[in-house]
Amino acid sequence: MAASELIQDSPHVEAVVTTSNSPTSLSPRVANGTLPRLNSSPSPPTDDPDGKKKCIKLSTLLQQNQLVQSLSNGLRRHCDYVKIAVPEEHANRLPKEWWKTGVAFLYAVFNLVFTTVVITIVHERVPDKSVSPPLPDKFFDYVDRVPWAFTVTEVNGLILVGLWLLQWIFLKHRAIIGRRCFFLIGTLYFYRCVTMYITTLPVPGKHMVCAPKLYNDSTGKIWRILRLISGGGLSLTGSHLMCGDFLYSGHTVMLTLSYLFIKEYSPPWMRWYQWICWLLSASGVICILIAHEHYSIDVVIGYIVTTRTFWWYHTMANTHALRQAPNNYLSRTWWNPVFKFLERNVQTVVPIEFSWPLPVPATCRQRYRIVEGGRDE
């Protein structure tokens, strides 16, 4: 809108100015651009040249103030029609792509089911305790077995998984974070299948009770697989009666991975929450050894593999310069093509933001707009 049009729409301002030989003071303009009216008694004209110069300056100042007042009034009348469109570049750099999250979820489920199959196969190869006694372990030499310790491990694991699931539901970018979690779970359990199958260790303690071997009974093995899946592979549910799944510890994987995701995707001000989860994770891992349910090497390798794979993946995800770097040795992993598929359109570091997981009803949104509009007024 041109300034001349605004001036034509504004009311006319008249002022009577009296000059004299003494300096003239002007009243300051108020904040809304309104110029106070200057009234003075008329005086006879003078031929003083200094007075003429002051009259010219005053008239110039009045014209400038009149222009400012006209512009302010014009903008005030037309402010309802001013709209600023803000492009959502941030959202475009963090696309949800739930279908990729679904693919990662199927990958995790497949490897978890495949783990139960491998456990069933390895169980048939575990040597009898009377033939192959437990291997010597330095931790077992100094710490006696506590029977209830493994229950603490599984309870801590269930609490950590539940806390992470609740936290993930309320994360704004849960689609991206979810597929990262599912991919790491599937990959870590795939590694576990490999290590369990290629090296079968004897039981770590004579207290362990293993189910009888079925040998060629395929139907019985299928039922064992289904029972193991239905019970989540936990001793609390009575579903895990097979032996041989020692190298490396699956309980260590879940305790460590749950804590790593909780810490990575929780804000710094929730330090107390992170410390509580760390205590749950650390105490759960230690109780595995106190219960003599795994060798020390099982726990150590499980921790190393879990933490390094997590940090490896998130270094690649958060450092975009590494993705195309020619000397990036991190990109030489076998799962790098899968990583590119999952993270191709994620162009920035995922911020830690929370949002309500369910859509807000239209009536609530309308009431919220009314309240916000009342606050603006």
Side-chain angles (χ1 to χ4, degrees), residues 12-16 27 34-40:
H12 181 64
V13 178
E14 295 180 357
V16 180
S27 299
T34 305
L35 180 67
R37 188 180 298 273
L38 301 176
N39 295 325
S40 63

Side-chain angles (χ1 to χ4, degrees), residues 159-342:
I159 293 174
L160 283 173
V161 171
L163 288 174
W164 166 238
L165 181 61
L166 184 64
Q167 178 180 333
W168 173 73
I169 290 174
F170 285 94
L171 286 170
K172 181 178 180 180
H173 304 285
R174 65 185 71 91
I176 299 174
I177 299 170
R179 58 177 172 262
R180 292 177 178 179
C181 181
F182 294 141
F183 172 76
L184 290 177
I185 290 174
T187 302
L188 290 171
Y189 273 85
F190 172 74
Y191 289 160
R192 186 167 181 255
C193 292
V194 174
T195 56
M196 282 192 303
Y197 185 79
I198 62 178
T199 302
T200 303
L201 299 178
V203 293
K206 293 185 177 181
H207 65 279
M208 301 190 71
V209 178
C210 302
K213 299 179 182 180
L214 298 178
Y215 299 103
N216 296 325
D217 186 2
S218 301
T219 305
K221 293 179 182 179
I222 293 175
W223 279 109
R224 280 185 175 177
I225 293 173
L226 295 176
R227 181 180 180 182
L228 190 60
I229 294 173
S230 62
L234 299 175
S235 298
L236 284 174
T237 60
S239 61
H240 197 348
L241 298 176
M242 292 180 286
C243 302
D245 58 331
F246 301 121
L247 188 64
Y248 47 85
S249 169
H251 288 77
T252 303
V253 170
M254 295 308 299
L255 287 166
T256 306
L257 192 63
S258 299
Y259 165 71
L260 290 174
F261 270 101
I262 288 173
K263 183 178 184 299
E264 181 70 18
Y265 296 104
S266 58
W269 60 267
M270 297 180 68
R271 187 74 63 183
W272 56 272
Y273 169 64
Q274 297 174 1
W275 274 108
I276 291 174
C277 293
W278 181 85
L279 289 174
L280 289 173
S281 176
S283 60
V285 171
I286 293 174
C287 284
I288 295 175
L289 297 175
I290 295 177
H292 292 196
E293 293 290 330
H294 274 282
Y295 292 104
S296 300
I297 191 64
D298 303 340
V299 174
V300 171
I301 293 180
Y303 171 80
I304 292 176
V305 173
T306 304
T307 54
R308 271 56 187 176
T309 306
F310 179 90
W311 294 333
W312 199 330
Y313 187 99
H314 281 79
T315 299
M316 293 282 290
N318 296 334
T319 310
H320 296 273
L322 289 175
R323 298 185 184 183
Q324 304 299 331
N327 297 325
N328 178 23
Y329 289 91
L330 297 178
S331 62
R332 299 187 179 184
T333 56
W334 67 266
W335 46 262
N336 189 59
V338 183
F339 169 84
K340 290 182 177 180
F341 164 74
L342 296 176

Side-chain angles (χ1 to χ4, degrees), residues 123-134 200-203 206 208 210-213 215:
H123 174 76
E124 303 295 324
R125 295 165 38 190
V126 175
D128 189 79
K129 290 181 291 185
S130 59
V131 178
S132 297
T200 303
L201 299 178
V203 293
K206 293 185 177 181
M208 301 190 71
C210 302
K213 299 179 182 180
Y215 299 103

Side-chain angles (χ1 to χ4, degrees), residues 1-12:
M1 181 181 294
S4 61
E5 296 177 2
L6 295 176
I7 294 174
Q8 291 175 3
D9 294 339
S10 64
H12 181 64

Side-chain angles (χ1 to χ4, degrees), residues 126-154:
V126 175
D128 189 79
K129 290 181 291 185
S130 59
V131 178
S132 297
L135 298 175
D137 190 285
K138 210 64 180 175
F139 187 90
F140 298 165
D141 295 340
Y142 294 100
V143 180
D144 294 332
R145 176 178 176 266
V146 178
W148 51 263
F150 199 64
T151 302
V152 174
T153 294
E154 295 193 334

